[in-house]
Amino acid sequence: MNTKLSLVGAAIAASLLLTNPAPAEARIPFFSGEQEIPSLAPMLEQTTPAVVHISVAGSREVRQRLPEAFRYFFGQRGPNEYREERPFKGLGSGVIISADNGYIVTNNHVIQDADDIEVRLKDGRTFKAKKLGADPESDIALLQIEAKNLTEVKLANSDKTRVGDYAIAIGNPFGLEQTVTSGIISALGRGGLGIEGFEDFIQTDAAINSGNSGGALVNLRGELIGINTAILGPNGGNIGIGFAIPANMMKNLVDQIIEHGEIRRGSLGIRGQDVTSDLTEAMHLNVSRGAFVNEVLPDSAASEAGLESGDVIISMNGNKINSFMELRAKVATLGAGREAKLGILRDGKERTVTVKLRELATGQVAASQVHPMLEGAEMSNAEGGGVKIDIVENNSPAAQIGLLADDVIVGVNRQRIANLAELRKMLENRDGVAALNIRRGNTNLYVLIR
């Protein structure tokens, strides 16, 4: 009986399917021989010639710890390490942004310390490249080649990019030239990752791997929306979390290199923090995102423009600001002398303030980018070597561990450091407690961080 009912039910279901076929949008599309199948190929045929393969060679100073047994040859006060120059080779990608001038953008880490830079085009031609300038803190470098019949990529307004937009990554992962992967924009304004000094990344799930660095992230029109720069992965492989430097940020930096031969960072002259739920409740704010101004420094661009402590900066040049880190990156890379229109919230009312950015001290970075326990300090490369503490905010983690303005960090775990890059590298590779060797006036002392 049950079997008969089942057979009858199956027959009725089959009859319904025949008389009521699946809606058109649910069917697998069929394309006749006369119809064109949707494809990214036409766009990529126009765009991929603008993405180049970069190979570099040079030498780097490598530090090696000296075995304890050998230190006796140098006496009790002998060195605990030795240095030597070692040759290296590397591969990466680049993007032609000006066919007439032969300008190619890539990541600074692709060409750093390189003595020889070779660019290979899609058509097989190779050229020696000249380095015009670079910015390690934002990981952008500008190269130039002398060549004809180049293809350049058109720049998109990356501030108009939205989460969910399609994105295509083009580069040379693991030396596999002209590799194309696709995905979407996963997030915008990513910062605080400790990858670079100034972070305002576009996040994408388009596959990015070693060798993609410096390559292009483009939209469906083939316009450049970002320069691929880093991935988040446990073993250095792709897990669908990649980061690109926004095209607008890259253009601001490149324009400065072309105009001045160097980066002239913009400075607003404020101290602040992200807008949080606790801050929103305490200050009775009607926004949940933005950059809260804790303090306006005297004789700064912010004070001249009339910014006040307690203001919340919610936009810059018409684009939303979601965090203090995002504001900091946009201001620094826009450049000194440029004007910015800031949308602020004051006493519950929105208003616009125009500010002309001052120049940030050369090499100055937020110490939180180097180590979380140094948050609240600003540092720069010290004359004669080491890292100078320029500013320490009251009650900040940096103040709590005992750092003072004008301190100079000259070493970590009894190994000397020459600059910010070396300090960052040593703290990244530390195991357990790190002892910072501080020079304070004529006194030497140690500050411990975990």
Side-chain angles (χ1 to χ4, degrees):
M1 185 72 173
N2 290 338
T3 303
K4 289 181 179 180
L5 287 174
S6 298
L7 291 172
V8 170
I12 293 172
S15 175
L16 289 172
L17 286 173
L18 290 172
T19 56
N20 297 288
E25 60 270 18
R27 301 177 198 165
I28 297 175
F30 174 78
F31 297 93
S32 68
E34 297 178 356
Q35 290 176 294
E36 185 176 350
I37 300 175
S39 173
L40 295 176
M43 178 274 287
L44 290 170
E45 288 168 358
Q46 300 296 318
T47 306
T48 51
V51 180
V52 304
H53 178 275
I54 296 177
S55 56
V56 300
S59 60
R60 289 193 178 115
E61 185 180 72
V62 178
R63 294 182 173 190
Q64 296 281 345
R65 287 192 64 83
L66 197 63
E68 289 294 324
F70 288 97
R71 292 186 63 192
Y72 289 104
F73 288 105
F74 300 97
Q76 290 295 330
R77 295 185 179 181
N80 61 2
E81 66 177 17
Y82 68 93
R83 306 180 184 186
E84 63 175 339
E85 291 285 329
R86 288 187 180 178
F88 75 91
K89 292 183 178 181
L91 301 174
S93 307
V95 184
I96 301 173
I97 60 169
S98 173
D100 293 338
N101 297 301
Y103 291 151
I104 297 173
V105 173
T106 187
N107 287 141
N108 176 71
H109 75 258
V110 171
I111 54 86
Q112 190 171 15
D113 300 324
D115 300 317
D116 182 62
I117 305 172
E118 185 178 86
V119 170
R120 182 160 62 248
L121 307 183
K122 184 180 180 180
D123 62 16
R125 289 182 293 164
T126 60
F127 301 91
K128 296 293 184 182
K130 175 184 177 183
K131 175 182 170 182
L132 297 184
D135 180 27
E137 289 299 320
S138 59
D139 203 15
I140 283 292
L142 180 64
L143 309 177
Q144 186 176 34
I145 60 173
E146 293 186 6
K148 296 180 179 180
N149 300 320
L150 296 177
T151 299
E152 69 183 38
V153 67
K154 183 179 179 181
L155 302 188
N157 180 357
S158 57
D159 288 330
K160 302 300 181 184
T161 301
R162 301 173 300 169
V163 173
D165 286 350
Y166 288 107
I168 298 93
I170 310 171
N172 308 289
F174 304 108
L176 299 172
E177 298 184 26
Q178 294 291 316
T179 295
V180 177
T181 56
S182 66
I184 63 169
I185 301 300
S186 306
L188 298 168
R190 286 294 194 212
L193 303 173
I195 299 173
E196 310 298 346
F198 296 99
E199 298 179 343
D200 183 24
F201 291 127
I202 296 171
Q203 181 183 327
T204 180
D205 65 349
I208 296 174
N209 289 286
S210 177
N212 271 112
S213 292
L217 188 69
V218 302
N219 59 24
L220 293 181
R221 287 189 290 269
E223 299 167 336
L224 186 71
I225 56 179
I227 299 294
N228 300 321
T229 188
I231 59 173
L232 188 63
N235 300 309
N238 172 63
I239 59 170
I241 304 177
F243 302 100
I245 299 166
N248 288 6
M249 180 174 173
M250 175 275 292
K251 186 177 185 304
N252 287 333
L253 294 164
V254 165
D255 287 347
Q256 293 175 56
I257 293 173
I258 293 171
E259 183 177 354
H260 306 295
E262 61 180 359
I263 301 298
R264 296 183 178 179
R265 301 199 193 286
S267 173
L268 192 55
I270 62 172
R271 296 193 180 105
Q273 64 183 76
D274 294 349
V275 172
T276 62
S277 57
D278 291 339
L279 186 62
T280 297
E281 183 178 352
M283 298 295 292
H284 305 290
L285 303 175
N286 56 4
V287 291
S288 58
R289 296 286 180 91
F292 183 78
V293 180
N294 290 343
E295 180 184 358
V296 176
L297 302 180
D299 191 30
S300 65
S303 64
E304 184 180 292
L307 282 175
E308 300 176 2
S309 57
D311 288 345
V312 180
I313 300 173
I314 56 177
S315 68
M316 177 173 167
N317 292 335
N319 300 301
K320 288 183 179 179
I321 294 294
N322 293 308
S323 67
F324 191 83
M325 187 72 69
E326 182 181 359
L327 173 68
R328 178 177 172 271
K330 288 185 181 298
V331 166
T333 54
L334 183 59
R338 303 285 182 87
E339 286 192 349
K341 288 187 177 181
L342 302 179
I344 67 170
L345 186 68
R346 180 184 298 169
D347 299 327
K349 297 180 180 179
E350 292 187 20
R351 60 183 69 189
T352 302
V353 173
T354 300
V355 58
K356 186 174 183 179
L357 302 178
R358 303 277 182 87
E359 185 168 1
L360 185 68
T362 303
Q364 192 178 59
V365 300
S368 59
Q369 299 297 311
V370 178
H371 191 280
M373 290 188 69
L374 301 178
E375 183 179 352
E378 290 191 357
M379 311 185 302
S380 59
N381 292 327
E383 293 184 11
V387 175
K388 182 175 178 289
I389 306 297
D390 298 308
I391 298 171
V392 178
E393 296 179 9
N394 293 332
N395 301 318
S396 66
Q400 291 170 10
I401 64 174
L403 288 180
L404 300 176
D406 295 327
D407 283 352
V408 178
I409 304 174
V410 294
V412 178
N413 294 344
R414 298 193 177 186
Q415 295 185 44
R416 294 193 66 83
I417 60 164
N419 50 42
L420 278 163
E422 290 188 6
L423 175 63
R424 187 198 302 268
K425 184 176 181 180
M426 292 193 70
L427 291 182
E428 285 177 349
N429 298 329
R430 79 191 192 287
D431 184 17
V433 175
L436 304 183
N437 185 193
I438 306 293
R439 187 175 69 235
R440 182 176 294 166
N442 296 322
T443 304
N444 283 298
L445 61 133
Y446 284 94
V447 170
L448 301 182
I449 61 175
R450 296 180 183 275

